[in-house]
Amino acid sequence: MSAVLIDGKARAAALRTEVAGGVAQFVATHARAPGLTVVLVGDDAASAVYVGAKGKATREVGMISTEHRLPATTPEAELLELVAQLNADTAVDGILVQLPLPAHIDADKVIAAIDPAKDVDGFHPINAGKLAIGQPALVPCTPSGCLLMIREALGNISGAEALVIGRSSIVGKPMAALLTAASATVTIAHSRTRDLAAHVARADIVVAAVGVPHLVQGAWIKPGACVIDVGMNRITLPSGKTKLTGDVDFDGAVARAGWITPVPGGVGPMTIACLLANTLKAATARAAA
Ligand code: NAD
């Protein structure tokens, strides 16, 4: 048996087209385009690439993209002041402060300063709390994208055994909340979990969000399971070249799973598409308020 590949690129393209349609409608109704502002502090190369990709995708769906690139030495107070200005700016519907921030800045403090109605990353404690208690919220983009792909593969997941590996606030915890809201039976595994293999073997759905290359072995996968690999690990090959790889041993898992996401080309593209969807959602909610 060979798993069906879940094509994140194609699914993301479809979602971006859907968002572009919503943006056109928004413009026709409100005579302005939704605006997403991204703030980058410092010169982390990977972050700069992500910010560039987010800006391009934002413009492509007809939204206004604004970027603030600040030096690594920016004082925390100055960043908080910029966030306050963006909160007050009526043309800004979404604010995203690219993580990680330099060590002298308290990321939690900055996230908490963002207006929850503009928190398109879904990291503000108010949005995290609403998601946890099942109220409508801006939901973190990566787990939102994972859920869309799981639903596309499996349809109704009520009662399914779901295993989320990783308990970060960005991926693992919100993923578990979304799966719980979709009526799956959810287990969260983490660095202290005993016998990860046994948990994986029971799961109809496995979401791996750890950051350890090939942690999840193919032989552990329950035959027919849906495997979502969030991991993005850059490894060096014997040739000296580097490549991106996931948390799942793809070659082993593809022989047992029913559906599987590749890395790259799976979760990554969906994350940006969900950011655009969140920005349109925030703009629509603000316009109706
Ligand atoms: P994190 O470091 O914040 O959390 C990792 C989690 O893995 C922790 O909860 C830890 O308890 C758990 N863990 C560590 N070792 C483990 C083990 N041996 N067994 C079980 N659990 C273990 O990471 P994160 O921000 O949640 O990101 C996880 C991965 O997902 C990273 O590779 C990251 O690059 C990737 N990521 C990808 C996207 C995307 O868009 N594709 C978005 C966010 C994160």
Side-chain angles (χ1 to χ4, degrees):
M1 173 175 170
S2 187
V4 174
L5 220 58
I6 304 176
D7 185 344
K9 273 192 199 163
R11 184 67 189 81
L15 181 54
R16 288 200 307 267
T17 301
E18 212 178 291
V19 172
V23 169
Q25 253 180 345
F26 184 95
V27 173
T29 312
H30 302 289
R32 71 170 187 92
L36 171 63
T37 298
V38 178
V39 181
L40 174 64
V41 186
D43 35 35
D44 180 71
S47 294
V49 171
Y50 292 144
V51 167
K54 285 168 186 172
K56 181 169 176 276
T58 304
R59 289 186 292 277
E60 278 172 3
V61 293
M63 299 197 287
I64 294 167
S65 160
T66 322
E67 282 173 23
H68 292 264
R69 292 182 183 237
L70 308 178
T73 50
T74 303
E76 184 183 275
E78 203 176 298
L79 179 57
L80 290 170
E81 176 53 36
L82 173 60
V83 169
Q85 280 172 25
L86 297 172
N87 284 343
D89 187 339
T90 51
V92 174
D93 297 289
I95 302 168
L96 184 155
V97 179
Q98 184 67 41
L99 301 178
L101 288 168
H104 68 278
I105 297 178
D106 181 344
D108 288 343
K109 201 167 165 184
V110 174
I111 290 166
I114 296 172
D115 178 349
K118 298 187 178 189
D119 167 40
V120 285
D121 250 344
F123 297 161
H124 192 287
I126 291 204
N127 282 315
K130 284 184 174 175
L131 174 62
I133 61 173
Q135 287 184 7
L138 286 166
V139 174
C141 305
T142 299
S144 292
C146 293
L147 186 68
L148 286 174
M149 291 192 287
I150 292 166
R151 282 203 181 283
E152 189 160 288
L154 301 181
N156 184 359
I157 58 169
S158 177
E161 290 282 343
L163 174 68
V164 180
I165 314 176
R167 58 176 163 181
S168 73
S169 306
I170 293 173
V171 190
K173 285 198 182 93
M175 186 75 250
L178 284 172
L179 289 164
T180 304
S183 298
T185 302
V186 182
T187 303
I188 304 177
H190 46 76
S191 53
R192 306 289 174 90
T193 295
R194 287 186 224 119
D195 202 355
L196 183 62
H199 289 287
V200 173
R202 276 197 294 117
D204 304 308
I205 300 164
V206 178
V207 181
V210 181
V212 176
H214 300 181
L215 173 75
V216 178
Q217 295 177 25
W220 298 353
I221 304 289
K222 179 176 174 177
C226 175
V227 178
I228 307 291
D229 193 349
V230 183
M232 289 226 285
N233 311 296
R234 189 158 287 283
I235 57 165
T236 305
L237 300 170
S239 66
K241 285 187 178 168
T242 65
K243 77 164 203 176
L244 266 190
T245 192
D247 290 343
V248 178
D249 161 28
F250 182 86
D251 293 341
V254 80
R256 292 174 64 88
W259 295 267
I260 191 165
T261 59
V263 178
V267 175
M270 283 301 282
T271 297
I272 293 191
C274 287
L275 171 67
L276 304 176
N278 268 359
T279 304
L280 177 60
K281 186 175 166 182
T284 306
R286 290 183 61 247

